């Protein structure tokens, strides 16, 4: 019995290997991985993110008779081939681009759904395409997750596979609006032909080529002597492309004119409502041991951030203290998996009788370990028996849970479309690497974007490049402001039912 207990304690003392789901979620938390590696669109919905990774060397060894399909990049393939295999590329035992790709260490990138479809056209010899958190969980193995983690993600992909983009390819760089044929053509050049990873031959080519090989540990580990000779690997290429410079456009400024009894400002408050990790006082008196799922738990929400501070507008606007329970009336409930962002609007009344219009974007990106959930319940004053999935020695419970974060805008004016567009763009900026801190964008929206005078001026501004938000108010003698679309109403209900609703 003693030896058995010692064996159990020794196994318990071993550090647990993070689960596949947890590792993938942690990789998605990296900002560079929340932007598509090819078209650079922000990957807002985690359930629509795909991973594309080079097949491992073990997979290549298991398929030694994979034939090569000649295409426009056959000449480049011939130059990439090992010296002993250059005579006849059609007789190669495997695709030569796979050989060189393995010497780079292999790519492991995160993509949008459209670029993922283009990657699938490359075939399983070049890459594997799997949904990260979607329905393809059975396709993930620990070996694949480890490779994706060690490959460096999108950041390394941009440094290696887009290190040298020729001048003629500038206009062919993918954009979110690119057509499927354009995506296929680009990813074939980038991942199959490795056309942008090699510098053009010349006086400085040797130094540039060696800098690629020494750029990261993965490349150094797989490099071989025959790959160090740039002149035997690379065909002639056009001049190097100059780095693209980011341009910023100045925002139009409009002079606002105070009018009416309502405050002369567009946005009153920007708030973040999160879980306080404390259960409701009424729930602390209940028996939680009867719960069957963590999603049945309910925690008390709280305002963790507010800009400007709550007392800023105390002369004309009282901050609604009941905002957390208004945004999450059923409390903050955890989820076993990440969910797609959701948006809704609301109208609340302050203690002074004033109406405040709000928009809320709810995102599930807060990952907390089951130990922290357990400590939060006990710290709330709960003294009863915990559910089975929260017991310390339970093997059936989840390793972690996802909690919602609610981004809220409050205003005296019903600019509902403005709320939706602004919150989505702010969320997008938190997922990618932005040129300025996110607080600067929030301050610009709350303090610098003016309220347009009625029927006189249209205000246009943007938080992210290329996505302009326009706001205007009707004249005083026309119908009141309705800043939302009636299309969903008329597309789902008949005229008779609409009359009943009205």
């Amino acid at each position: 019995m003693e030896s058995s207990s010692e064996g159990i304690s020794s196994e318990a003392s071993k550090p647990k290997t993070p689960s596949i789901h947890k590792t993938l979620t942690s990789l998605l938390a990296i900002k560079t991985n929340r932007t598509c590696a090819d078209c650079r669109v922000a990957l807002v919905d985690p359930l629509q993110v795909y991973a594309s990774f080079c097949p491992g060397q073990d997979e290549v060894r298991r398929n030694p008779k994979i034939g090569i399909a000649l295409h426009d990049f056959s000449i480049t393939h011939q130059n990439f081939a090992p010296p002993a295999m250059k005579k006849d590329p059609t007789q190669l035992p495997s695709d030569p681009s796979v050989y060189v790709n393995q010497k780079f260490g292999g790519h492991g990138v995160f993509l949008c759904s459209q670029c993922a479809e283009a990657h699938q056209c490359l075939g399983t010899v070049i890459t594997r395409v799997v949904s990260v958190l979607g329905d393809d969980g059975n396709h993930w193995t620990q070996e694949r997750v480890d490779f994706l983690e060690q490959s460096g993600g999108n950041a390394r992909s941009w440094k290696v596979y887009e290190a040298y983009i020729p001048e003629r390819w500038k206009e062919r760089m993918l954009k979110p609006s690119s057509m499927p044929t354009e995506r296929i053509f680009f990813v074939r050049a980038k991942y199959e032909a490795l056309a942008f990873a090699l510098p053009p031959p010349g006086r400085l080519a040797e130094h540039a080529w060696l800098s690629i090989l020494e750029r990261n540990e993965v490349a150094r580990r797989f490099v071989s002597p025959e790959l160090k000779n740039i002149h035997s690997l690379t065909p002639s290429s056009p001049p190097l492309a100059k780095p693209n410079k980011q341009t910023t456009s100045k925002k139009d400024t409009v002079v606002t004119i105070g009018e009416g009894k309502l405050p002369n400002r567009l946005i009153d408050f920007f708030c973040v409502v999160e879980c306080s990790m404390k259960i409701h006082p009424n729930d602390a008196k209940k028996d939680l041991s009867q719960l069957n799922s963590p999603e049945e738990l309910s925690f008390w929400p709280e305002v963790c951030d507010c800009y400007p501070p709550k007392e800023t507008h105390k002369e004309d606007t009282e901050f609604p203290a009941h905002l957390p329970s208004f945004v999450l009336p059923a409390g903050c409930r955890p989820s076993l998996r990440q969910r797609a962002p959701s948006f809704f609007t609301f109208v609340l009344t302050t203690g002074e009788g004033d109406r405040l219009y709000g928009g809320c974007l709810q995102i599930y990106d807060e990952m907390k370990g089951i130990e922290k959930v357990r400590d939060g319940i006990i710290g709330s004053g709960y003294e009863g028996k915990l559910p089975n999935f929260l017991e310390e020695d339970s093997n059936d419970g989840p390793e972690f849970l996802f909690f919602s974060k609610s981004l809220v805008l409050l205003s005296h004016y019903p600019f509902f479309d403005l709320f939706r567009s602004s919150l989505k763009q702010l969320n997008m900026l938190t997922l990618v690497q932005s040129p300025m801190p996110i607080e600067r964008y929030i301050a610009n929206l709350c303090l610098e974007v003016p309220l347009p005078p009625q029927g006189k001026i249209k205000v246009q501004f943007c938080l992210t490049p290329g996505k302009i938000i326009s706001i205007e108010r009707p004249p005083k003698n026309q119908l009141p402001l309705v800043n939302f679309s009636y299309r969903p109403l008329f597309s789902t209900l008949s005229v008779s039912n609409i009359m009943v609703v009205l």
Side-chain angles (χ1 to χ4, degrees), residues 1-71:
M1 294 296 294
E2 293 180 1
S3 61
S4 177
S5 62
E6 290 178 0
I8 295 175
S9 61
S10 63
E11 291 182 2
S13 62
K14 294 181 181 179
K16 292 184 178 179
T17 303
S19 65
I20 292 178
H21 190 195
K22 185 175 183 179
T23 304
L24 292 174
T25 305
S26 301
L27 290 175
L28 278 184
I30 302 174
K31 289 190 174 182
T32 52
N33 292 340
R34 291 305 289 267
T35 303
C36 179
D38 295 333
C39 70
R40 304 302 201 273
V41 68
L43 305 176
V44 178
D45 186 355
L47 301 181
Q48 296 296 322
V49 180
Y50 293 82
S52 175
F53 48 89
C54 181
Q57 293 191 13
D58 292 338
E59 295 185 53
V60 175
R61 294 191 191 101
R62 287 195 295 266
N63 298 275
K65 296 183 179 181
I66 299 176
I68 176 174
L70 292 177
H71 48 69

Side-chain angles (χ1 to χ4, degrees), residues 391-461:
E391 295 290 346
E392 295 185 8
D393 55 351
S394 174
N395 296 324
D396 299 331
E399 186 180 0
F400 55 90
L401 297 173
F402 292 96
F403 287 83
S404 66
K405 177 191 295 182
S406 300
L407 310 181
V408 183
L409 285 177
L410 295 177
S411 174
H412 281 81
Y413 304 91
F415 288 103
F416 295 123
D417 282 346
L418 166 70
F419 300 156
R420 177 187 292 105
S421 301
S422 300
L423 290 175
K424 285 185 176 181
Q425 291 190 26
L426 288 174
N427 181 43
M428 190 180 303
L429 289 169
T430 62
L431 300 176
V432 301
Q433 289 183 322
S434 56
M436 294 183 295
I438 188 63
E439 292 80 6
R440 184 64 187 89
Y441 293 94
I442 296 174
N444 172 257
L445 176 63
C446 296
L447 303 181
E448 298 176 1
V449 178
L451 177 70
Q454 285 186 291
K456 297 180 179 180
I457 298 175
K458 175 191 293 186
V459 175
Q460 293 184 332
F461 68 98

Side-chain angles (χ1 to χ4, degrees), residues 95-143:
D95 196 321
S97 65
V98 175
Y99 175 85
V100 180
N101 208 0
Q102 292 297 329
K103 298 304 177 181
F104 276 112
H107 67 272
V109 295
F110 295 86
L111 308 168
C112 66
S113 58
Q114 291 181 303
C115 288
E117 292 179 1
H119 276 242
Q120 288 178 337
C121 296
L122 300 180
T124 56
V125 179
I126 305 297
T127 190
R128 297 283 196 273
V129 181
V130 181
S131 175
V132 177
L133 299 178
D135 299 329
D136 295 343
N138 296 331
H139 295 281
W140 285 109
T141 62
Q142 192 63 47
E143 179 186 1

